[in-house]
Amino acid sequence: MPKIAYAQMKVAAGHPDVNTRKILQLIDEARKGGADIVIFPELAVSGQMLGDVWQEESFANDCREYGEEVIAASRKNLAVIFGNIELRYSRDDLDIFNAIFVAKNKRLNFMPVIKNFTNAEDKYLSYLEVMINKKKYRIGCSFDYADFEGEADFVIKFSFTPFTPDKVIESKNYGCPVIQVGAVGVQNTGKTIYAFDGNSAVYNSRGEVVQYAEPFAECLNLVELDEIDKMP
């Protein structure tokens, strides 16, 4: 069974260079810790609260180039799952999506999970597949605004919601382990400043919290997949 690292990191909106340096550092830490998979937050490369910046092709291309650096840092024995924006060119236009990528052995390992920024009703591929120790794992992907449906070995819930005083750690029971990954730090929409506490946690197959990250702190936690349902 794989050892999974999940990174609760500070994400700087609009600064893919800063975010990528942090991601590469955490990938190295995960590798040294013996992880088979390391998971980063939604939009970990680009940041989330970008205003109209995400519509600029030059910025989107910068994010794609920094994403290539993250892909190149993956190894044969370490899969990297991370969030970034995805560019897709049509005949008349450029579409930019919120995407989750999985890289292994210095290349993309599976088609990205994508979600349209501008149309919350768009359907998206809600799972990833990755080979670990000669076994293929099906990984469900769930967002704060769109849920995973189907069977999976475990689910990654990408949580990128601001802190509120009444916020609690909670998760849907998917019937399999869930790893929730979020970002910390402060992001600014131009009118409002939001603080992010991370809200990262591990849930067993019954939906109970068995491990959680310290709020507002950057950290890299590790967990063995087959140990999650045995944890108190």
Side-chain angles (χ1 to χ4, degrees), residues 109-126:
N109 191 247
F110 198 72
M111 180 179 291
V113 170
I114 63 170
K115 190 72 179 72
N116 197 320
F117 275 111
T118 57
N119 188 349
E121 300 302 318
D122 276 4
K123 295 185 181 299
Y124 68 104
L125 183 66
S126 58

mmCIF file of all heavy atoms in Angstrom, residues 109-126:
data_model
loop_
_atom_site.group_PDB
_atom_site.id
_atom_site.type_symbol
_atom_site.label_atom_id
_atom_site.label_comp_id
_atom_site.label_asym_id
_atom_site.label_seq_id
_atom_site.Cartn_x
_atom_site.Cartn_y
_atom_site.Cartn_z
ATOM 1 N N ASN A 109 0.982 11.613 -16.082
ATOM 2 C CA ASN A 109 0.646 10.206 -15.968
ATOM 3 C C ASN A 109 -0.799 9.901 -16.317
ATOM 4 O O ASN A 109 -1.148 8.767 -16.576
ATOM 5 C CB ASN A 109 0.938 9.743 -14.527
ATOM 6 C CG ASN A 109 0.868 8.256 -14.357
ATOM 7 O OD1 ASN A 109 -0.015 7.751 -13.679
ATOM 8 N ND2 ASN A 109 1.806 7.534 -14.965
ATOM 9 N N PHE A 110 -1.637 10.948 -16.330
ATOM 10 C CA PHE A 110 -3.061 10.743 -16.559
ATOM 11 C C PHE A 110 -3.656 12.070 -17.003
ATOM 12 O O PHE A 110 -3.169 13.130 -16.643
ATOM 13 C CB PHE A 110 -3.743 10.251 -15.272
ATOM 14 C CG PHE A 110 -5.084 9.608 -15.472
ATOM 15 C CD1 PHE A 110 -5.184 8.349 -16.047
ATOM 16 C CD2 PHE A 110 -6.235 10.253 -15.095
ATOM 17 C CE1 PHE A 110 -6.418 7.745 -16.227
ATOM 18 C CE2 PHE A 110 -7.472 9.663 -15.264
ATOM 19 C CZ PHE A 110 -7.566 8.399 -15.836
ATOM 20 N N MET A 111 -4.708 12.014 -17.814
ATOM 21 C CA MET A 111 -5.360 13.244 -18.276
ATOM 22 C C MET A 111 -5.819 14.088 -17.080
ATOM 23 O O MET A 111 -6.385 13.554 -16.121
ATOM 24 C CB MET A 111 -6.575 12.902 -19.143
ATOM 25 C CG MET A 111 -7.311 14.125 -19.676
ATOM 26 S SD MET A 111 -8.707 13.653 -20.726
ATOM 27 C CE MET A 111 -7.836 12.984 -22.134
ATOM 28 N N PRO A 112 -5.565 15.402 -17.100
ATOM 29 C CA PRO A 112 -5.927 16.228 -15.942
ATOM 30 C C PRO A 112 -7.428 16.215 -15.657
ATOM 31 O O PRO A 112 -8.248 16.153 -16.564
ATOM 32 C CB PRO A 112 -5.479 17.633 -16.358
ATOM 33 C CG PRO A 112 -4.501 17.427 -17.458
ATOM 34 C CD PRO A 112 -4.920 16.176 -18.161
ATOM 35 N N VAL A 113 -7.756 16.253 -14.370
ATOM 36 C CA VAL A 113 -9.119 16.551 -13.956
ATOM 37 C C VAL A 113 -9.325 18.044 -14.144
ATOM 38 O O VAL A 113 -8.517 18.851 -13.670
ATOM 39 C CB VAL A 113 -9.325 16.182 -12.469
ATOM 40 C CG1 VAL A 113 -10.660 16.700 -11.966
ATOM 41 C CG2 VAL A 113 -9.242 14.675 -12.278
ATOM 42 N N ILE A 114 -10.369 18.442 -14.844
ATOM 43 C CA ILE A 114 -10.561 19.869 -15.107
ATOM 44 C C ILE A 114 -11.948 20.331 -14.683
ATOM 45 O O ILE A 114 -12.897 19.562 -14.649
ATOM 46 C CB ILE A 114 -10.347 20.226 -16.597
ATOM 47 C CG1 ILE A 114 -11.373 19.515 -17.492
ATOM 48 C CG2 ILE A 114 -8.935 19.907 -17.033
ATOM 49 C CD1 ILE A 114 -11.363 20.017 -18.921
ATOM 50 N N LYS A 115 -12.045 21.617 -14.359
ATOM 51 C CA LYS A 115 -13.313 22.250 -14.031
ATOM 52 C C LYS A 115 -13.295 23.646 -14.607
ATOM 53 O O LYS A 115 -12.347 24.399 -14.418
ATOM 54 C CB LYS A 115 -13.501 22.335 -12.510
ATOM 55 C CG LYS A 115 -14.913 22.767 -12.111
ATOM 56 C CD LYS A 115 -15.905 21.656 -12.364
ATOM 57 C CE LYS A 115 -17.316 22.049 -11.939
ATOM 58 N NZ LYS A 115 -17.945 23.029 -12.804
ATOM 59 N N ASN A 116 -14.331 23.988 -15.345
ATOM 60 C CA ASN A 116 -14.406 25.294 -15.988
ATOM 61 C C ASN A 116 -14.575 26.390 -14.934
ATOM 62 O O ASN A 116 -15.443 26.313 -14.074
ATOM 63 C CB ASN A 116 -15.596 25.316 -16.960
ATOM 64 C CG ASN A 116 -15.522 26.452 -17.950
ATOM 65 O OD1 ASN A 116 -15.133 27.552 -17.587
ATOM 66 N ND2 ASN A 116 -15.894 26.185 -19.181
ATOM 67 N N PHE A 117 -13.735 27.432 -15.008
ATOM 68 C CA PHE A 117 -13.846 28.550 -14.075
ATOM 69 C C PHE A 117 -15.185 29.272 -14.193
ATOM 70 O O PHE A 117 -15.744 29.747 -13.228
ATOM 71 C CB PHE A 117 -12.747 29.584 -14.356
ATOM 72 C CG PHE A 117 -11.441 29.279 -13.687
ATOM 73 C CD1 PHE A 117 -10.340 28.914 -14.434
ATOM 74 C CD2 PHE A 117 -11.306 29.371 -12.320
ATOM 75 C CE1 PHE A 117 -9.124 28.653 -13.836
ATOM 76 C CE2 PHE A 117 -10.096 29.110 -11.704
ATOM 77 C CZ PHE A 117 -9.004 28.748 -12.463
ATOM 78 N N THR A 118 -15.689 29.379 -15.421
ATOM 79 C CA THR A 118 -16.818 30.264 -15.682
ATOM 80 C C THR A 118 -18.160 29.560 -15.715
ATOM 81 O O THR A 118 -19.190 30.214 -15.724
ATOM 82 C CB THR A 118 -16.615 30.989 -17.026
ATOM 83 O OG1 THR A 118 -16.450 30.014 -18.064
ATOM 84 C CG2 THR A 118 -15.396 31.884 -16.967
ATOM 85 N N ASN A 119 -18.181 28.227 -15.734
ATOM 86 C CA ASN A 119 -19.445 27.506 -15.812
ATOM 87 C C ASN A 119 -19.442 26.373 -14.796
ATOM 88 O O ASN A 119 -18.886 25.312 -15.040
ATOM 89 C CB ASN A 119 -19.666 26.956 -17.225
ATOM 90 C CG ASN A 119 -21.061 26.369 -17.395
ATOM 91 O OD1 ASN A 119 -21.788 26.188 -16.423
ATOM 92 N ND2 ASN A 119 -21.437 26.087 -18.624
ATOM 93 N N ALA A 120 -20.069 26.619 -13.656
ATOM 94 C CA ALA A 120 -20.072 25.635 -12.575
ATOM 95 C C ALA A 120 -20.849 24.377 -12.942
ATOM 96 O O ALA A 120 -20.747 23.360 -12.265
ATOM 97 C CB ALA A 120 -20.669 26.255 -11.312
ATOM 98 N N GLU A 121 -21.638 24.431 -14.019
ATOM 99 C CA GLU A 121 -22.427 23.274 -14.411
ATOM 100 C C GLU A 121 -21.652 22.333 -15.330
ATOM 101 O O GLU A 121 -22.116 21.230 -15.614
ATOM 102 C CB GLU A 121 -23.714 23.745 -15.120
ATOM 103 C CG GLU A 121 -24.606 24.623 -14.256
ATOM 104 C CD GLU A 121 -25.015 23.929 -12.970
ATOM 105 O OE1 GLU A 121 -25.335 22.724 -13.011
ATOM 106 O OE2 GLU A 121 -25.007 24.587 -11.918
ATOM 107 N N ASP A 122 -20.496 22.765 -15.814
ATOM 108 C CA ASP A 122 -19.717 21.899 -16.699
ATOM 109 C C ASP A 122 -19.333 20.612 -15.995
ATOM 110 O O ASP A 122 -18.923 20.623 -14.837
ATOM 111 C CB ASP A 122 -18.441 22.613 -17.167
ATOM 112 C CG ASP A 122 -18.702 23.512 -18.360
ATOM 113 O OD1 ASP A 122 -19.858 23.643 -18.759
ATOM 114 O OD2 ASP A 122 -17.723 24.073 -18.883
ATOM 115 N N LYS A 123 -19.442 19.498 -16.708
ATOM 116 C CA LYS A 123 -19.032 18.216 -16.143
ATOM 117 C C LYS A 123 -17.520 18.080 -16.285
ATOM 118 O O LYS A 123 -16.913 18.677 -17.160
ATOM 119 C CB LYS A 123 -19.754 17.069 -16.851
ATOM 120 C CG LYS A 123 -21.259 17.084 -16.626
ATOM 121 C CD LYS A 123 -21.900 15.859 -17.238
ATOM 122 C CE LYS A 123 -23.402 15.872 -17.029
ATOM 123 N NZ LYS A 123 -23.782 15.867 -15.633
ATOM 124 N N TYR A 124 -16.933 17.296 -15.423
ATOM 125 C CA TYR A 124 -15.486 17.136 -15.449
ATOM 126 C C TYR A 124 -15.138 15.696 -15.096
ATOM 127 O O TYR A 124 -15.912 14.983 -14.459
ATOM 128 C CB TYR A 124 -14.808 18.097 -14.472
ATOM 129 C CG TYR A 124 -15.081 17.803 -13.019
ATOM 130 C CD1 TYR A 124 -14.119 17.188 -12.225
ATOM 131 C CD2 TYR A 124 -16.313 18.109 -12.443
ATOM 132 C CE1 TYR A 124 -14.368 16.906 -10.907
ATOM 133 C CE2 TYR A 124 -16.570 17.816 -11.123
ATOM 134 C CZ TYR A 124 -15.602 17.220 -10.350
ATOM 135 O OH TYR A 124 -15.852 16.932 -9.046
ATOM 136 N N LEU A 125 -13.974 15.263 -15.540
ATOM 137 C CA LEU A 125 -13.481 13.939 -15.185
ATOM 138 C C LEU A 125 -13.124 13.941 -13.713
ATOM 139 O O LEU A 125 -12.293 14.729 -13.271
ATOM 140 C CB LEU A 125 -12.248 13.608 -16.020
ATOM 141 C CG LEU A 125 -11.620 12.235 -15.839
ATOM 142 C CD1 LEU A 125 -12.576 11.153 -16.317
ATOM 143 C CD2 LEU A 125 -10.315 12.142 -16.611
ATOM 144 N N SER A 126 -13.749 13.080 -12.921
ATOM 145 C CA SER A 126 -13.656 13.206 -11.474
ATOM 146 C C SER A 126 -12.759 12.168 -10.825
ATOM 147 O O SER A 126 -12.889 11.891 -9.647
ATOM 148 C CB SER A 126 -15.057 13.129 -10.858
ATOM 149 O OG SER A 126 -15.672 11.899 -11.216
#
